[in-house]
Amino acid sequence: MSLISIAPPRSIDEMHAIGPVTQLGSEILSGECMAYAQSTFGGPTDPVSAGYFAVTPGRFRMTYPFNEQAVVVQGSVTLTDVKTGIAAHYGVGDSWFVTKGTEVLWDVSGGVFIKHFFAVVD
């Protein structure tokens, strides 16, 4: 077993710039929605991955390509399940789980949002 300690990024300047979330298959509804990432395990095409994901303010819709558990590290976000209309607001320390194939509306306001994620493709 290997135990590795990883400090969360303090800002998006410490992360890899991806570009607009459209690069990840999302549809931008308002704002720039620029995405950033810092991998801590695996990569986007691996069966299991983990890391930090950040996005600048805006609204966008995405369909999750994997199962994901996430914890808010910085900022806040309101996530809405498009199918059910159920919305929840998450701030620092809050966590959620979303299943592959779920269409989610993201609403990031008030500053940069950063989460830590653990994703599994099944």
Side-chain angles (χ1 to χ4, degrees):
M1 181 171 107
S2 179
L3 179 62
I4 301 169
S5 180
I6 302 167
R10 291 181 297 273
S11 73
I12 57 175
D13 296 332
E14 297 178 7
M15 302 173 77
H16 171 72
I18 295 171
V21 294
T22 53
Q23 301 278 43
L24 304 172
S26 297
E27 174 191 6
I28 295 175
L29 304 174
S30 66
E32 284 189 318
C33 303
M34 299 300 285
Y36 301 81
Q38 178 181 325
S39 178
T40 58
F41 181 82
T45 59
D46 291 335
V48 176
S49 63
Y52 294 93
F53 173 81
V55 66
T56 60
R59 293 184 72 211
F60 63 95
R61 182 181 10 249
M62 71 171 288
T63 301
Y64 270 77
F66 41 68
N67 299 301
E68 179 190 74
Q69 188 274 328
V71 178
V72 180
V73 175
Q74 178 182 318
S76 64
V77 64
T78 299
L79 301 179
T80 304
D81 182 321
V82 173
K83 183 177 179 181
T84 67
I86 296 172
H89 183 79
Y90 299 96
V92 174
D94 293 336
S95 179
W96 71 83
F97 183 85
V98 64
T99 56
K100 180 179 178 179
T102 303
E103 187 178 11
V104 176
L105 175 64
W106 284 61
D107 189 353
V108 177
S109 59
V112 172
F113 170 80
I114 302 176
K115 69 176 178 177
H116 182 270
F117 68 89
F118 180 79
V120 177
V121 178
D122 64 347

